Amino acid sequence: MELLTPRLTLREFRETDFASFRELEAHPATYHYESACPDETATRKYLENALADARQTPRTRYRFAVTIRPAEEVRGRVTLALLNDSIREWEIGWAIHPDEWGKGFAVEAAQRLLEFAFTDLGAHRVVAFSHAQNTASLRVMQELGMQQDGLLRETRSWRGAWSDEVVFSILEREWR
Ligand SMILES: CC(C)(COP(=O)(O)OP(=O)(O)OC[C@H]1O[C@@H](n2cnc3c(N)ncnc32)[C@H](O)[C@@H]1OP(=O)(O)O)[C@@H](O)C(=O)NCCC(=O)NCCS
């Protein structure tokens, strides 16, 4: 399946995506707020898992490649995963290739994914977790109309110290 935005296509990953996806995953800036960059094996595993997710029924995880039309190569990824079925809660995530930052692509892709979550998947809540100092990601959450649920103290080991994490959410009625 695929979802369209004015400039982007969010589509299932393909086996042939490895080279362009690896460019995103191997870029140090993409993983600045994570403990480490994934190695090649981890990137291959991610692709394999993404292909497996697409075959799931019922589907509880969507990992979409973000492409900038008319190009076909991967310039980002967005994810939606069922976190708590009993309250229809899904988790959203995003990464855009650093060469494309600041063009509004993350917000554009995530807005489409929220629409998909609330209208097609019947989500009640969508949540996002972020390193507390990841200002770009915080801005994306705010732009989407998400609100901070809380601060998880020292849940991340980062650059030899503990870091806090924030949890943001948006409810179906807020989205509508
Ligand atoms: C977070 C990320 C996806 C944002 O992508 P993007 O396409 O540049 O975001 P957008 O262009 O849609 O910008 C959204 C907002 O963030 C702001 N922003 C973007 N980069 C920023 C930065 N480095 N510092 C502060 N604000 C920033 C933009 O100005 C915009 O705010 P505005 O509408 O008030 O101007 C991107 O920085 C990224 O891929 N980071 C690495 C992966 C990552 O951290 N993922 C999130 C894990 S929780």
Side-chain angles (χ1 to χ4, degrees):
M1 66 170 292
E2 64 177 34
L3 304 172
L4 300 181
T5 74
R7 295 178 293 172
L8 308 171
T9 300
L10 319 183
R11 61 154 174 83
E12 305 289 1
F13 276 97
R14 302 168 185 155
E15 275 170 36
T16 50
D17 283 332
F18 181 77
S20 62
F21 184 48
R22 183 65 194 150
E23 236 190 81
L24 168 72
E25 295 296 286
H27 200 300
T30 306
Y31 281 86
H32 180 75
Y33 289 101
E34 306 295 328
S35 42
C37 256
D39 61 13
E40 237 183 83
T41 309
T43 302
R44 282 193 196 284
K45 188 76 201 155
Y46 186 102
L47 262 188
E48 263 174 42
N49 290 338
L51 297 175
D53 290 343
R55 294 190 295 266
Q56 255 189 345
T57 16
R59 200 154 171 194
T60 57
R61 188 187 289 270
Y62 297 82
R63 306 186 216 216
F64 289 129
V66 178
T67 66
I68 306 166
R69 291 197 305 277
E72 286 277 315
E73 73 264 21
V74 180
R75 297 306 270 167
R77 58 171 154 78
V78 285
T79 57
L80 201 55
L82 186 61
L83 207 56
N84 186 338
D85 200 9
S86 65
I87 56 167
R88 289 181 280 123
E89 180 183 56
W90 291 74
E91 178 182 349
I92 191 170
W94 41 67
I96 298 291
H97 191 289
D99 290 352
E100 311 288 357
W101 285 1
K103 300 177 185 172
F105 289 143
V107 170
E108 189 170 318
Q111 262 166 347
R112 184 66 189 88
L113 212 54
L114 284 181
E115 185 188 344
F116 176 65
F118 289 122
T119 60
D120 297 273
L121 302 178
H124 164 59
R125 262 168 74 77
V126 176
V127 299
F129 295 84
S130 171
H131 190 292
Q133 289 160 40
N134 188 346
T135 43
S137 203
L138 296 176
R139 278 301 303 149
V140 172
M141 296 191 281
Q142 286 158 356
E143 282 281 306
L144 292 170
M146 301 180 89
Q147 294 185 31
Q148 188 169 330
D149 276 346
L151 177 84
L152 307 177
R153 295 180 305 138
E154 300 195 359
T155 51
R156 293 195 184 196
S157 167
W158 186 64
R159 299 179 175 232
W162 292 112
S163 284
D164 298 338
E165 191 174 10
V166 288
V167 190
F168 273 65
S169 70
I170 182 165
L171 305 176
E172 183 190 2
R173 65 172 176 277
E174 293 166 344
W175 171 254
R176 297 200 182 280

